[in-house]
Amino acid sequence: MPSKPLRLSKSRYLSGLQCHKQLWWRVHEPDAPELALTPGQENLFAQGKEVGERARGQVPGGELIDLPFYEYDNKVAATREALNRGLPAIYEAWFLAEDTYAGVDILARDPGGGGRGHVVIEVKASNSRKPEHLPDAAVQVYVLRRAGLQVERAEVMHLNPECRYPDLSNLFVREDVTALVEGTLIGLSDELEAQRRMLDAPLPDVPIGEHCSRPHDCPFIPRCWPKLPDHHVSSLYRIDRRRAVELEADGYATIYDLPSELELSAIHARQVKAVQTGRMVVEETLKKALTQFASPLAFLDFETVSLAIPRWAGCRPWQQVPVQFSVHVEERGRGLTHHEWIADGPGDPRPALAEALVEACAGARRVVAYYASFERECIRQLREAVPQLGRGLERIERRLVDLLPTVRNHVYHPDFGGRFSIKKTLPALVPGLSYSDLKVRDGEVATVELQRLMLAGTELPASERAELRQALLRYCERDTWAMVKMLEKLRGLVADQLELF
Ligand code: SF4
């Protein structure tokens, strides 16, 4: 007896649209380690779910098909039964046609079409409509029509970047994408058929290319892409992908191979020199650049959370809101003192944070940050949110100096690997100091964990809360301590006035 063909779904179709090989692995190796979600992705899914639930309020009076995710056939049957009852809307409706499942966030009755027509509404937790939303809506329209439903219209409902808490009446924007979807339907049937045939065959041979990162980074990139040699030309700082391909085609696979007569930007020239000589390059201009770091200094770093549905006054969807800071301050006669503040409840953290920040930075002549435009934006937000501290905050903003361009424009160590993030430059400039000994080691995890600390309430046991709080405090503290040690190192380099290894 021939085996039953593998069924497709909306998400499988979209994955196959990006790459058949990716879809084959997703279907035949569902437990592949590459498919495990990162904390950041899990957070996005959780927030997307919240947005989906909230969106149902825009089309009231509907019924939710509330069954476990994997009960596809039961969900299809329950949807059919709900349709027969003539409800104004069905949330999480499921359909099956041509061996393809399609889940619909909101299926609404179209008031036109004699009451028999329907509107497919795809809810997105993004602040705008994106090109990849169209095939998503199109496959739903296709399957629903094949299942016998009269679909008159397709909409994408996304978050509204103009919305400001507490007025959430305009949280969503609905865009009619019917005409665009009708265009996207052309060829959809053939693609579904091609995907089904491909899944019944051995792993397809698909060459790597631009599609590996469009519209999303494929999780299988480490499997497919060859491991590049150290200092490959693509590791030149911010090199255009096409330029790297050209250099490789000209026979220059690594930075070691690049000829001396090649015209390069100042940063690339420094990088090439450092890599080819195996020594750190320190420009004479560093001395002048360091004069802006006039004591007494404060070293400042913020951590933020970003919520799809805003919950504090004046905030828009996905706004990055500062909820934690660390400041190391030089104080006359006392060396460095450390100040820190962290939110650990659901209330608006900005007034208390701003007050502590103004106090911590009061005696500083300059406030040092690494990639200061981020800190500047956080301070601007605080000025809007806490106008009574506007003058103090504005003083901090005026005194900001950025350590990142000081490194980028005057120093290169071969271990930077073409990047100037603090995670790359710190261990190269200050051996022995990194983030590897910390429980929270990167910004993505910090954001997710801060959100948990603030919003999990009693779900987070007291002991775990205390531990998490400590881990987050130590992470943020490391960022400012890193700047202290890095500046110390740069000053030492100037004192030496040598190119050091
Ligand atoms: S890395 Fe590229 S070629 Fe490989 S599966 Fe992913 S998209 Fe396809």
Side-chain angles (χ1 to χ4, degrees), residues 211-276:
H211 68 279
C212 298
S213 305
R214 283 192 200 150
H216 307 290
D217 278 341
C218 172
F220 297 109
I221 284 177
R223 273 197 206 190
C224 289
W225 286 66
K227 189 171 165 3
L228 297 174
D230 284 348
H231 302 297
H232 185 262
V233 282
S234 60
S235 70
L236 280 165
Y237 171 65
R238 284 192 173 174
I239 190 171
D240 181 69
R241 189 191 289 237
R242 233 171 305 158
R243 177 73 181 130
V245 170
E246 274 170 22
L247 285 171
E248 211 174 352
D250 288 345
Y252 311 127
T254 70
I255 293 174
Y256 298 110
D257 306 325
L258 293 173
S260 54
E261 66 273 15
L262 198 70
E263 215 170 290
L264 296 166
S265 69
I267 296 174
H268 282 172
R270 199 158 37 251
Q271 181 177 357
V272 170
K273 186 176 172 188
V275 170
Q276 290 187 347

Side-chain angles (χ1 to χ4, degrees), residues 3 129 134 140 142 150 160 166 174 200 206 232 243 258 307 310 322 337 354 426 468 494:
S3 61
R129 176 168 65 77
L134 291 178
Q140 295 171 50
Y142 178 84
Q150 191 176 319
N160 178 8
R174 289 170 70 167
D200 273 340
V206 181
H232 185 262
R243 177 73 181 130
L258 293 173
L307 303 175
T337 55
L426 178 66
L468 181 58
V494 165

